[in-house]
Amino acid sequence: MQHHPCCLLCDQAPETMRHLMLHCPLSRQAWHETLAWLRIPAPIPNQEATLMDWWQHAKEATPQAQCKALQSVALLVPWLIWKHR
Ligand SMILES: [Zn+2]
């Protein structure tokens, strides 16, 4: 995969998949807005090493009735971030 030396969204950090999907300020805003819109009480990605680590934490913080919505968020938000990039 071709990547740029600096993040194309914030221009403040090296472009790594971890930064782009979890730690970029714009990505964090996308996570926050989406989870708040769906009223999913899971925290946005913070210090997790991978998306899978975050998902494990998020599942534990999400009521059973919202688990399907969380699964969709865990797939669609990274896709939207990537498309925006
Ligand atoms: Zn960034």
Side-chain angles (χ1 to χ4, degrees):
M1 176 184 76
Q2 179 184 4
H3 72 93
H4 295 261
C6 252
C7 174
L8 293 174
L9 300 183
C10 71
D11 200 31
Q12 294 175 4
E15 186 185 57
T16 63
M17 194 57 73
R18 182 178 178 201
H19 170 80
L20 192 62
M21 294 299 159
L22 300 174
H23 302 145
C24 180
L26 275 84
S27 301
R28 292 173 59 79
Q29 184 169 357
W31 284 110
H32 173 76
E33 297 282 341
T34 307
L35 291 171
W37 175 56
L38 293 170
R39 299 173 193 235
I40 295 174
I44 65 170
N46 186 14
Q47 295 301 315
E48 287 86 357
T50 68
L51 195 57
M52 189 63 82
D53 291 337
W54 168 77
W55 192 38
Q56 293 296 331
H57 294 155
K59 278 197 296 188
E60 292 167 9
T62 301
Q64 186 70 30
Q66 290 177 296
C67 272
K68 280 192 175 181
L70 179 68
Q71 289 173 2
S72 297
V73 167
L75 293 171
L76 292 175
V77 170
W79 181 77
L80 288 170
I81 293 168
W82 184 252
K83 295 293 279 183
H84 185 67
R85 172 209 180 262

